[in-house]
Coordinates of all heavy atoms in Angstrom, one line a residue:
M1 N 103.8 109.8 137.2 CA 103.3 109.3 135.8 C 104.5 108.9 134.9 O 105.2 109.8 134.5 CB 102.6 110.4 135.1 CG 101.3 110.8 135.9 SD 100.1 109.5 135.9 CE 99.3 109.8 134.3
D2 N 104.9 107.7 134.8 CA 105.9 107.2 134.1 C 105.4 106.2 133.1 O 105.6 105.0 133.4 CB 107.1 106.6 134.9 CG 108.2 106.3 134.1 OD1 108.4 106.8 132.9 OD2 109.1 105.4 134.5
E3 N 104.8 106.6 131.9 CA 104.2 105.6 131.0 C 105.3 105.2 130.1 O 105.8 106.0 129.3 CB 103.1 106.2 130.4 CG 101.9 106.4 131.2 CD 100.7 106.7 130.4 OE1 100.6 106.4 129.2 OE2 99.8 107.4 131.0
R4 N 105.7 103.9 130.1 CA 106.7 103.5 129.2 C 106.0 103.1 127.8 O 104.9 102.7 127.8 CB 107.2 102.2 129.7 CG 108.2 102.4 130.9 CD 109.1 101.4 131.0 NE 110.0 101.5 132.2 CZ 110.9 100.7 132.6 NH1 111.1 99.6 131.9 NH2 111.8 101.1 133.5
R5 N 106.7 103.4 127.0 CA 106.3 103.2 125.5 C 106.5 101.8 125.2 O 107.6 101.2 125.4 CB 106.9 104.0 124.5 CG 106.5 105.4 124.5 CD 106.7 106.1 123.2 NE 106.1 107.4 123.2 CZ 105.8 108.0 122.0 NH1 106.5 107.6 120.9 NH2 105.3 109.2 122.0
E6 N 105.4 101.1 124.7 CA 105.6 99.6 124.2 C 106.5 99.7 122.9 O 106.5 100.7 122.2 CB 104.3 99.1 123.8 CG 103.3 98.9 124.9 CD 103.6 97.8 125.8 OE1 104.0 96.8 125.2 OE2 103.7 97.9 127.0
P7 N 107.4 98.8 122.6 CA 108.0 98.8 121.5 C 107.1 98.6 120.4 O 106.0 98.1 120.4 CB 108.8 97.4 121.7 CG 108.3 96.6 122.6 CD 107.6 97.6 123.6
P8 N 107.5 99.1 119.1 CA 106.6 99.1 118.0 C 106.4 97.7 117.6 O 107.2 96.8 117.7 CB 107.3 99.9 117.0 CG 108.8 99.9 117.3 CD 108.7 99.8 118.9
P9 N 105.1 97.4 117.2 CA 104.8 96.0 116.9 C 105.5 95.5 115.8 O 105.6 94.3 115.5 CB 103.2 96.1 116.4 CG 103.0 97.5 116.2 CD 104.1 98.3 117.0
E10 N 106.2 96.4 114.9 CA 106.9 95.8 113.7 C 108.2 95.1 114.3 O 108.9 94.5 113.4 CB 107.3 96.9 112.9 CG 106.2 97.4 112.0 CD 105.2 98.4 112.7 OE1 105.6 98.9 113.9 OE2 104.1 98.7 112.4
A11 N 108.6 95.4 115.5 CA 109.8 94.7 116.0 C 109.7 93.3 116.4 O 109.8 92.9 117.5 CB 110.3 95.6 117.2
T12 N 109.5 92.6 115.4 CA 109.3 91.1 115.5 C 110.5 90.5 114.7 O 111.4 91.2 114.1 CB 108.1 90.6 114.9 OG1 108.1 90.8 113.5 CG2 106.9 91.2 115.6
D13 N 110.6 89.2 114.9 CA 111.7 88.5 114.0 C 111.3 88.1 112.6 O 112.0 87.5 112.0 CB 112.2 87.3 114.8 CG 110.9 86.4 115.0 OD1 109.9 86.6 114.6 OD2 111.3 85.3 115.6
R14 N 110.0 88.7 112.3 CA 109.7 88.5 110.8 C 110.6 89.4 110.0 O 110.5 90.6 110.3 CB 108.2 88.7 110.7 CG 107.4 87.6 111.3 CD 106.0 87.8 110.8 NE 105.0 86.9 111.5 CZ 104.4 87.4 112.5 NH1 104.4 88.7 112.7 NH2 103.5 86.6 113.1
A15 N 111.1 89.0 108.9 CA 111.7 89.8 108.0 C 110.7 90.6 107.1 O 109.6 90.0 106.8 CB 112.6 89.1 107.0
P16 N 110.9 91.8 107.0 CA 109.9 92.5 106.1 C 110.0 91.9 104.6 O 111.0 91.6 104.1 CB 110.3 94.0 106.2 CG 111.8 94.0 106.5 CD 112.0 92.7 107.4
I17 N 108.9 92.0 104.0 CA 108.8 91.5 102.7 C 109.2 92.6 101.7 O 108.6 93.8 101.7 CB 107.4 91.0 102.3 CG1 107.1 89.8 103.2 CG2 107.3 90.6 100.8 CD1 105.6 89.5 103.1
P18 N 110.4 92.4 100.9 CA 110.7 93.5 100.1 C 109.7 93.6 99.0 O 109.3 92.7 98.4 CB 112.1 92.9 99.6 CG 112.1 91.5 99.7 CD 111.1 91.3 100.9
T19 N 109.4 94.8 98.7 CA 108.5 95.1 97.6 C 109.2 96.0 96.6 O 109.9 96.9 97.0 CB 107.2 95.7 98.1 OG1 107.5 96.9 98.8 CG2 106.4 94.8 98.9
G20 N 108.9 95.9 95.4 CA 109.5 96.7 94.3 C 110.9 96.4 94.1 O 111.5 97.0 93.3
I21 N 111.6 95.4 94.6 CA 112.8 95.0 94.3 C 113.0 94.0 93.2 O 113.4 94.3 92.0 CB 113.6 94.4 95.5 CG1 113.7 95.5 96.6 CG2 115.0 93.9 95.1 CD1 114.1 94.9 98.0
A22 N 112.4 92.9 93.4 CA 112.3 91.9 92.4 C 110.9 91.9 91.8 O 110.0 92.4 92.4 CB 112.5 90.5 92.9
R23 N 110.8 91.5 90.5 CA 109.5 91.4 89.9 C 108.9 90.1 90.3 O 109.4 89.0 90.2 CB 109.7 91.3 88.4 CG 109.2 92.6 87.8 CD 109.3 92.3 86.2 NE 109.8 93.7 85.6 CZ 110.5 93.6 84.5 NH1 110.7 92.5 83.9 NH2 111.0 94.7 84.0
L24 N 107.7 90.3 90.9 CA 107.0 89.2 91.6 C 105.8 88.8 90.4 O 105.4 89.5 89.7 CB 106.2 89.6 92.8 CG 107.1 90.0 93.9 CD1 106.4 90.4 95.0 CD2 108.1 88.8 94.3
S25 N 105.6 87.5 90.6 CA 104.6 86.9 89.6 C 103.2 87.5 90.3 O 103.1 87.9 91.4 CB 104.6 85.5 89.5 OG 104.1 84.9 90.7
P26 N 102.1 87.5 89.5 CA 100.9 88.0 90.0 C 100.5 87.2 91.3 O 99.9 87.7 92.2 CB 99.8 87.7 88.9 CG 100.6 87.8 87.6 CD 102.0 87.3 88.0
V27 N 100.8 85.8 91.3 CA 100.4 85.0 92.5 C 101.2 85.5 93.6 O 100.6 85.6 94.7 CB 100.8 83.6 92.2 CG1 100.3 82.8 93.4 CG2 99.9 83.1 91.0
Q28 N 102.5 85.7 93.4 CA 103.4 86.3 94.6 C 102.9 87.7 95.0 O 103.0 87.9 96.2 CB 104.8 86.2 94.0 CG 105.4 84.9 94.0 CD 106.8 84.9 93.2 OE1 106.9 85.7 92.3 NE2 107.7 84.2 93.9
E29 N 102.5 88.4 94.0 CA 102.1 89.8 94.5 C 100.7 89.7 95.3 O 100.6 90.3 96.2 CB 101.9 90.6 93.2 CG 103.1 91.3 92.8 CD 102.9 92.2 91.5 OE1 101.7 92.5 91.3 OE2 103.8 92.5 90.9
A30 N 99.9 88.8 94.8 CA 98.6 88.7 95.6 C 98.9 88.1 97.0 O 98.2 88.6 98.0 CB 97.7 87.8 94.8
W31 N 99.8 87.1 97.1 CA 100.2 86.5 98.4 C 100.8 87.7 99.3 O 100.4 87.7 100.4 CB 101.1 85.4 98.2 CG 101.6 84.8 99.5 CD1 102.8 84.8 100.0 CD2 100.6 84.1 100.3 NE1 102.7 84.1 101.2 CE2 101.5 83.7 101.5 CE3 99.3 83.8 100.5 CZ2 101.0 83.0 102.6 CZ3 98.8 83.0 101.5 CH2 99.6 82.7 102.5
S32 N 101.8 88.3 98.7 CA 102.4 89.4 99.6 C 101.5 90.5 100.0 O 101.7 91.0 101.1 CB 103.7 89.9 99.0 OG 103.4 90.7 97.9
A33 N 100.6 90.8 99.2 CA 99.5 91.8 99.6 C 98.8 91.4 100.7 O 98.5 92.1 101.6 CB 98.6 92.2 98.4
Y34 N 98.3 90.0 100.7 CA 97.6 89.4 101.8 C 98.4 89.4 103.0 O 97.9 89.8 104.1 CB 97.1 88.0 101.4 CG 96.6 87.2 102.4 CD1 95.4 87.6 103.1 CD2 97.4 86.2 103.0 CE1 94.9 86.7 104.1 CE2 96.8 85.4 104.0 CZ 95.6 85.8 104.6 OH 95.1 85.0 105.5
V35 N 99.6 88.9 102.9 CA 100.5 88.8 104.0 C 100.8 90.1 104.7 O 100.8 90.3 106.0 CB 101.8 88.0 103.7 CG1 102.8 88.1 104.9 CG2 101.6 86.6 103.4
N36 N 101.1 91.2 103.8 CA 101.4 92.5 104.3 C 100.2 93.1 105.0 O 100.3 93.6 106.1 CB 101.7 93.4 103.3 CG 103.2 93.4 102.9 OD1 104.0 93.3 103.9 ND2 103.7 93.6 101.7
H37 N 99.0 92.9 104.5 CA 97.9 93.4 105.1 C 97.6 92.8 106.5 O 97.4 93.4 107.5 CB 96.6 93.1 104.2 CG 95.4 93.4 104.9 ND1 94.8 94.7 105.0 CD2 94.6 92.6 105.7 CE1 93.7 94.6 105.6 NE2 93.5 93.2 106.1
S38 N 97.7 91.3 106.5 CA 97.2 90.7 107.7 C 98.3 90.7 108.8 O 98.0 90.6 110.0 CB 96.8 89.2 107.4 OG 97.7 88.4 106.7
L39 N 99.6 90.8 108.4 CA 100.6 90.8 109.4 C 101.1 92.2 109.8 O 101.6 92.5 111.0 CB 101.9 90.1 108.9 CG 101.8 88.6 108.7 CD1 103.1 88.1 108.3 CD2 101.2 87.9 109.9
H40 N 100.9 93.3 108.9 CA 101.5 94.5 109.2 C 100.5 95.7 109.2 O 100.6 96.5 110.0 CB 102.6 94.9 108.1 CG 103.7 93.8 108.1 ND1 104.6 93.6 109.2 CD2 104.0 92.8 107.2 CE1 105.3 92.6 108.8 NE2 105.1 92.0 107.8
Q41 N 99.6 95.6 108.3 CA 98.8 96.8 108.0 C 97.5 96.8 108.9 O 97.0 97.9 109.1 CB 98.5 97.0 106.6 CG 99.6 97.2 105.7 CD 99.5 97.0 104.3 OE1 98.4 96.6 103.9 NE2 100.4 97.4 103.5
C42 N 96.8 95.6 109.1 CA 95.5 95.7 109.7 C 95.5 95.3 111.2 O 95.7 94.1 111.4 CB 94.7 94.6 108.9 SG 93.0 94.5 109.4
P43 N 95.1 96.2 111.9 CA 94.8 95.8 113.4 C 93.9 94.8 113.6 O 94.1 94.1 114.7 CB 94.6 97.1 114.0 CG 94.1 98.0 112.9 CD 94.6 97.7 111.7
T44 N 93.0 94.7 112.9 CA 91.9 93.7 113.0 C 92.5 92.3 112.8 O 92.3 91.3 113.6 CB 90.8 93.9 112.1 OG1 90.2 95.2 112.3 CG2 89.6 92.9 112.3
C45 N 93.1 92.2 111.7 CA 93.7 90.9 111.4 C 94.9 90.4 112.3 O 95.1 89.2 112.5 CB 94.3 90.8 109.9 SG 93.1 90.9 108.7
R46 N 95.6 91.5 112.8 CA 96.7 91.1 113.7 C 96.3 90.7 115.3 O 97.0 90.1 116.0 CB 97.6 92.4 113.9 CG 98.5 92.5 112.6 CD 99.2 93.8 112.5 NE 100.0 94.0 113.8 CZ 100.6 95.1 114.0 NH1 100.7 96.1 113.0 NH2 101.4 95.2 115.0
R47 N 95.0 90.9 115.5 CA 94.5 90.4 116.8 C 94.5 88.9 116.7 O 94.1 88.3 115.8 CB 93.1 90.9 117.0 CG 93.0 92.4 117.6 CD 92.0 92.5 118.5 NE 90.7 91.8 118.0 CZ 89.8 92.4 117.5 NH1 89.8 93.8 117.1 NH2 88.6 91.8 117.0
V48 N 95.1 88.3 117.8 CA 95.2 86.8 117.8 C 93.8 86.3 117.8 O 93.7 85.2 117.1 CB 96.0 86.4 119.0 CG1 96.1 84.9 119.1 CG2 97.5 86.9 118.9
D49 N 92.9 86.7 118.6 CA 91.7 86.2 118.7 C 90.7 86.6 117.6 O 89.5 86.2 117.7 CB 91.2 86.4 120.0 CG 90.9 87.9 120.4 OD1 91.7 88.6 119.7 OD2 90.2 88.3 121.2
G50 N 91.2 87.5 116.8 CA 90.2 87.9 115.7 C 90.3 87.2 114.5 O 91.1 86.3 114.2
S51 N 89.1 87.3 113.7 CA 89.1 86.6 112.5 C 89.5 87.6 111.4 O 89.4 88.7 111.6 CB 87.7 86.0 112.3 OG 86.8 87.0 112.5
P52 N 89.9 87.1 110.2 CA 90.2 88.1 109.2 C 89.2 89.0 108.9 O 88.1 88.6 108.8 CB 90.7 87.2 108.1 CG 90.9 85.8 108.7 CD 90.1 85.7 109.8
C53 N 89.5 90.2 108.5 CA 88.5 91.1 108.2 C 88.2 90.9 106.6 O 88.7 90.0 106.0 CB 89.0 92.5 108.3 SG 90.4 93.1 107.0
E54 N 87.1 91.7 106.2 CA 86.7 91.4 104.8 C 87.7 91.6 103.8 O 87.8 91.0 102.8 CB 85.4 92.4 104.5 CG 84.2 91.9 105.2 CD 82.9 92.8 104.8 OE1 83.1 93.6 103.8 OE2 82.0 92.9 105.6
K55 N 88.6 92.6 104.0 CA 89.6 92.9 103.0 C 90.7 91.7 102.9 O 91.0 91.3 101.9 CB 90.3 94.2 103.4 CG 91.4 94.6 102.4 CD 92.0 96.0 102.6 CE 93.0 96.2 101.5 NZ 93.9 97.5 101.7
A56 N 91.0 91.2 104.1 CA 91.9 90.1 104.1 C 91.3 88.8 103.3 O 91.8 88.2 102.5 CB 92.2 89.7 105.6
E57 N 89.9 88.6 103.5 CA 89.3 87.6 102.9 C 89.3 87.8 101.3 O 89.5 86.9 100.5 CB 87.9 87.4 103.5 CG 87.9 86.7 104.8 CD 86.6 86.5 105.3 OE1 85.6 86.9 104.6 OE2 86.4 86.0 106.4
R58 N 89.2 89.1 101.1 CA 89.1 89.4 99.6 C 90.5 89.3 99.1 O 90.7 88.6 97.9 CB 88.7 90.8 99.4 CG 88.5 91.2 98.0 CD 87.6 92.6 97.8 NE 88.1 93.7 98.7 CZ 89.4 94.3 98.3 NH1 89.9 94.1 97.1 NH2 89.8 95.3 99.0
L59 N 91.5 89.6 99.6 CA 92.9 89.4 99.2 C 93.2 88.0 99.1 O 93.9 87.6 98.2 CB 93.9 90.2 100.2 CG 93.8 91.8 100.2 CD1 94.8 92.2 101.3 CD2 94.4 92.3 98.8
Y60 N 92.8 87.2 100.1 CA 93.1 85.8 100.1 C 92.4 85.1 99.0 O 92.9 84.2 98.3 CB 92.7 85.1 101.4 CG 93.1 83.8 101.6 CD1 94.5 83.5 101.7 CD2 92.3 82.7 101.4 CE1 95.0 82.2 101.8 CE2 92.7 81.4 101.5 CZ 94.2 81.1 101.7 OH 94.5 79.8 101.8
G61 N 91.2 85.7 98.6 CA 90.4 85.0 97.4 C 91.1 85.3 96.2 O 91.2 84.5 95.4
V62 N 91.7 86.5 96.1 CA 92.4 86.9 94.8 C 93.6 85.9 94.7 O 93.8 85.4 93.6 CB 92.9 88.4 94.9 CG1 93.8 88.7 93.7 CG2 91.8 89.3 94.8
Y63 N 94.3 85.7 95.8 CA 95.4 84.9 95.7 C 95.1 83.5 95.4 O 95.7 82.8 94.4 CB 96.2 84.8 97.1 CG 97.0 83.6 97.3 CD1 98.3 83.6 96.6 CD2 96.6 82.6 98.1 CE1 99.1 82.4 96.7 CE2 97.5 81.5 98.2 CZ 98.7 81.4 97.5 OH 99.5 80.3 97.7
T64 N 94.0 82.8 96.0 CA 93.7 81.5 95.7 C 93.2 81.4 94.2 O 93.4 80.4 93.5 CB 92.6 80.9 96.5 OG1 91.6 81.9 96.7 CG2 93.2 80.7 98.0
R65 N 92.4 82.4 93.7 CA 92.0 82.4 92.4 C 93.2 82.3 91.5 O 93.3 81.6 90.5 CB 91.1 83.6 92.1 CG 90.6 83.5 90.7 CD 89.4 84.6 90.6 NE 89.9 85.9 90.8 CZ 90.6 86.7 90.2 NH1 91.1 86.2 89.0 NH2 91.2 87.9 90.5
L66 N 94.2 83.2 91.6 CA 95.4 83.3 90.7 C 96.2 82.1 90.9 O 96.7 81.5 89.8 CB 96.3 84.5 91.1 CG 95.6 85.9 90.8 CD1 96.5 87.0 91.4 CD2 95.6 86.1 89.2
A67 N 96.3 81.5 92.1 CA 97.1 80.2 92.3 C 96.4 79.1 91.5 O 97.0 78.3 90.8 CB 97.2 79.9 93.7
N68 N 95.0 79.0 91.6 CA 94.3 77.9 91.0 C 94.3 78.0 89.4 O 94.6 77.1 88.7 CB 92.9 77.9 91.4 CG 92.6 77.4 92.8 OD1 93.4 76.6 93.3 ND2 91.7 77.8 93.5
E69 N 94.3 79.3 88.9 CA 94.5 79.5 87.5 C 95.9 79.0 87.1 O 96.0 78.4 86.0 CB 94.2 81.0 87.2 CG 92.8 81.4 87.2 CD 92.6 82.9 87.1 OE1 93.6 83.6 86.7 OE2 91.5 83.4 87.2
G70 N 96.9 79.4 87.8 CA 98.3 79.1 87.6 C 98.4 77.5 87.4 O 99.0 76.9 86.6
M71 N 97.7 76.8 88.4 CA 97.8 75.4 88.4 C 97.0 74.7 87.2 O 97.6 73.8 86.6 CB 97.1 75.0 89.7 CG 97.9 75.2 91.1 SD 99.5 74.4 91.1 CE 99.0 72.9 91.7
D72 N 95.9 75.4 86.9 CA 95.2 74.9 85.7 C 96.0 75.0 84.4 O 96.2 74.2 83.5 CB 93.9 75.7 85.5 CG 92.9 75.3 86.5 OD1 93.1 74.2 87.2 OD2 91.9 76.0 86.6
R73 N 96.8 76.2 84.3 CA 97.6 76.5 83.1 C 98.7 75.3 83.2 O 99.1 74.9 82.1 CB 98.2 77.8 83.2 CG 98.0 78.6 81.9 CD 98.4 80.0 82.0 NE 97.4 80.9 82.7 CZ 97.6 81.7 83.7 NH1 98.9 81.9 84.2 NH2 96.7 82.3 84.3
L74 N 99.3 75.0 84.4 CA 100.3 74.1 84.4 C 99.8 72.6 83.9 O 100.5 72.0 83.2 CB 101.0 74.0 85.8 CG 101.9 75.0 86.2 CD1 102.4 74.8 87.7 CD2 103.1 75.1 85.3
R75 N 98.6 72.4 84.4 CA 98.1 71.1 83.9 C 97.8 70.9 82.6 O 98.0 69.9 81.9 CB 96.8 70.8 84.7 CG 97.0 70.4 86.2 CD 95.8 69.8 86.9 NE 95.8 70.0 88.2 CZ 95.2 71.0 88.9 NH1 94.4 71.9 88.1 NH2 95.3 71.2 90.1
Q76 N 97.4 72.0 81.9 CA 97.1 72.0 80.4 C 98.4 72.0 79.5 O 98.3 71.7 78.4 CB 96.3 73.2 80.1 CG 94.8 73.1 80.5 CD 94.1 74.4 80.6 OE1 94.6 75.3 80.1 NE2 92.9 74.4 81.3
S77 N 99.4 72.4 80.0 CA 100.6 72.6 79.2 C 101.4 71.2 79.2 O 101.2 70.4 80.0 CB 101.6 73.6 79.6 OG 102.0 73.4 80.9
Ligands
ZN101 ZN1 92.4 93.0 107.8

C-alpha cells in the first residue's frame, strides 16, 4: 500500500490574488471574489466539465452590475 499524495491543487502557475494589500475598487473586489471562488475555493466551479454553481453566478452578477454602473457613471461625466 503505497498511496502517493497528489500535489495540492493550489500548486499551479497562477499567482495568488493579494487581498488586503492594496485598496480595491468595488468592481475589482467583486471580480476578485468571483475569481477566488471559482478558481480556489469551490470544488464545483473548479471541475472542468462543471458549470458554475449558484454562488459563482451570484458573484459574477454582482461584478457585472457594479461594472455596468461604473460604465454608466463614466458615460454621464
Ligand atoms: Zn462555485
Side-chain angles (χ1 to χ4, degrees):
M1 295 294 277
D2 183 21
E3 287 188 30
R4 291 198 177 181
R5 289 201 163 193
E6 296 285 318
E10 284 80 14
T12 65
D13 56 0
R14 286 195 197 97
I17 296 169
T19 51
I21 296 171
R23 250 187 226 147
L24 299 175
S25 73
V27 178
Q28 288 171 313
E29 275 181 13
W31 177 249
S32 72
Y34 167 70
V35 170
N36 270 324
H37 171 87
S38 54
L39 293 185
H40 302 291
Q41 295 167 352
C42 181
T44 303
C45 291
R46 284 169 56 178
R47 282 212 317 263
V48 176
D49 59 340
S51 50
C53 70
E54 279 180 25
K55 186 177 180 183
E57 285 180 3
R58 189 164 52 76
L59 289 170
Y60 189 75
V62 171
Y63 161 72
T64 51
R65 182 171 54 78
L66 289 171
N68 286 332
E69 284 174 8
M71 293 294 277
D72 286 347
R73 231 172 282 134
L74 281 177
R75 281 195 207 99
Q76 285 161 12
S77 60

